[in-house]
Amino acid sequence: MATDATPKFQNRDFRPVQPDFHPEITMSAHDGLHFWQFMVAGSIAGCVEHMAMFPVDTIKTRMQILGPCPIKSVSLSHALRSILKTEGPSGLYRGIGAMGLGAGPAHAVYFSIYEIFKKSLSGGNPNNSAAHAISGVFATVASDAVFTPMDMVKQRLQLSSSPYKGVLDCVTRVLREEGFKAFYASYRTTVLMNAPFTAVHFATYEAAKRGLTEVSPDSADDNRVVVHATAGAAAGALAALLTTPLDVVKTQLQCQGICGCDRYSSGSIRDVLRTIVKKDGYRGLMRGWIPRMLFHAPAAAICWSTYEAWKSIFQELNAKSDSDGGT
């Protein structure tokens, strides 16, 4: 009787859950890509991200600069109105050339190093958050070495009374007046900031992506862009908020000595922190946190969705190439 009754109660949509069934493991891992493909995907993603969000980055830089005492707190709306009133819309894009020169190569290094270490450290486990975080730290140490010089040029050009005419003028004058070491004055601070930033970012991104996929594993492929964008936005916002104080220190070091900014003889993070607290109190350490979050949340969403999209494109091209070669 039992065997005869079973078909009547079967549901075609029912899928028995096996003990070892993990929907997140079925996500496309984009494995098998060549090293240069990770670099190209990362380079495109980085350029799209930074170019799209550059005006917000300019506002953040203006808000973080400490001029002569007394210090007045500048709001996001006040900074935006000031730029538009005195310089027009073009003022929001000062230094974008330096960003373009630095973002592409830096992100190519960033994502390729991340993928290499993630593959070697994760042991085939897509849920290994520690491997994702450590891989991100290695990636940021390498990419910051590429990006820091152009980031310094970019921030100096973003200042309202910047004495430089453009990227080339800034590079030549800094070399002549301050020496090559000026381009890396903030490198230590940048790494100390971006290492925890990246660890939080990558770990949060991978966890959020996995969690969003588990919610609806059957539609994961259809909503792939939404998943990557949402996970990236959450990761970017959280990481940006936690590392704002070090970002303020980095801005002081990169813009020191120009437009009324203090010059730090030692370049010590502790000295910069003391100066900020002395001039503006502890709130000064969180200057620009709103535009920083407004930058990194959509920027990460744009970057990750663009990066994953290009990885998918390369994966399909590789699969087609392999099938053509097999026939």
Side-chain angles (χ1 to χ4, degrees), residues 49-50 54 57-58 60-61 64-65 94-107 140 143-159 164 167 170-171 174 182-191 193-194 246-256 258 292 295-296:
E49 165 201 357
H50 285 286
F54 193 82
D57 184 65
T58 298
K60 183 215 71 171
T61 297
Q64 289 182 338
I65 287 298
R94 281 183 57 88
I96 196 170
M99 175 62 76
L101 291 172
H107 279 74
T140 198
S143 65
D144 283 343
V146 177
F147 187 58
T148 296
M150 281 296 105
D151 189 46
M152 184 275 287
V153 173
K154 181 264 299 181
Q155 286 205 304
R156 291 196 176 198
L157 290 172
Q158 285 177 319
L159 300 181
Y164 307 109
V167 175
C170 182
V171 171
V174 170
F183 290 102
Y184 284 93
S186 70
Y187 179 68
R188 181 174 54 181
T189 306
T190 302
V191 170
M193 173 187 71
N194 283 341
L246 284 172
D247 188 54
V248 176
V249 173
K250 185 203 75 169
T251 299
Q252 304 309 310
L253 288 171
Q254 293 193 154
C255 299
Q256 59 180 312
I258 61 171
R292 180 166 163 79
F295 174 90
H296 281 286

Side-chain angles (χ1 to χ4, degrees), residues 180-260:
F180 182 76
K181 66 178 183 179
F183 290 102
Y184 284 93
S186 70
Y187 179 68
R188 181 174 54 181
T189 306
T190 302
V191 170
L192 288 176
M193 173 187 71
N194 283 341
F197 176 95
T198 307
V200 173
H201 188 126
F202 277 110
T204 304
Y205 170 75
E206 297 287 356
K209 182 175 69 172
R210 186 169 63 252
L212 289 169
T213 304
E214 288 178 2
V215 172
S216 181
D218 293 332
S219 60
D221 288 338
D222 296 334
N223 299 323
R224 183 182 302 165
V225 175
V226 175
V227 169
H228 293 316
T230 304
L238 178 61
L241 178 63
L242 295 177
T243 57
T244 294
L246 284 172
D247 188 54
V248 176
V249 173
K250 185 203 75 169
T251 299
Q252 304 309 310
L253 288 171
Q254 293 193 154
C255 299
Q256 59 180 312
I258 61 171
C259 300

Side-chain angles (χ1 to χ4, degrees), residues 89-123:
S90 62
L92 295 170
Y93 291 92
R94 281 183 57 88
I96 196 170
M99 175 62 76
L101 291 172
H107 279 74
V109 172
Y110 187 84
F111 281 106
S112 57
I113 295 296
Y114 171 70
E115 294 287 356
I116 290 172
F117 277 95
K118 184 176 77 169
K119 182 178 180 180
S120 62
L121 296 176
S122 64

Side-chain angles (χ1 to χ4, degrees), residues 18 34 45 68 88 97 100 103 185 212 228 271 273 312:
Q18 301 298 329
H34 300 294
L212 289 169
H228 293 316
D271 288 345
L273 287 171
S312 295

